[in-house]
Amino acid sequence: FAIFLLIGAWHGNEIHFLLWGALHGGALLLEKRLLYPLGQKVKVRFGKGIARIYGTTLTQSFVALAWILFFWK
């Protein structure tokens, strides 16, 4: 989490960069604690292909929304 805050600060000293870094750090923590086990359950229940679609869709949606914060002025 701290590394992502530093990456946000590296992009600039404005609050939206720090929020962007915090958002990515928080998302990584959330993914490792909650979403990874859920993805494993999806993989077991629906198969590897559906689990990959689930993970890719979730990641791309998050990144696209985070770019709004990154470019906010």
Side-chain angles (χ1 to χ4, degrees):
F1 184 81
I3 296 298
F4 280 96
L5 279 177
L6 289 173
I7 291 170
W10 178 79
H11 280 85
N13 61 357
E14 297 176 18
I15 190 70
H16 63 96
F17 290 125
L18 291 175
L19 289 174
W20 178 81
L23 189 64
H24 278 281
L28 184 61
L29 290 173
L30 178 72
E31 190 272 333
K32 292 298 180 192
R33 293 290 179 195
L34 297 175
L35 298 179
Y36 180 77
L38 181 60
Q40 293 302 309
K41 289 178 185 177
V42 169
K43 185 189 245 182
V44 167
R45 184 165 185 173
F46 298 107
K48 195 176 196 178
I50 297 298
R52 180 170 279 193
I53 291 169
Y54 159 78
T56 301
T57 302
L58 197 62
T59 301
Q60 292 299 319
S61 298
F62 172 79
V63 170
L65 290 172
W67 277 111
I68 294 169
L69 185 61
F70 185 83
F71 286 107
W72 170 52
K73 292 188 182 199

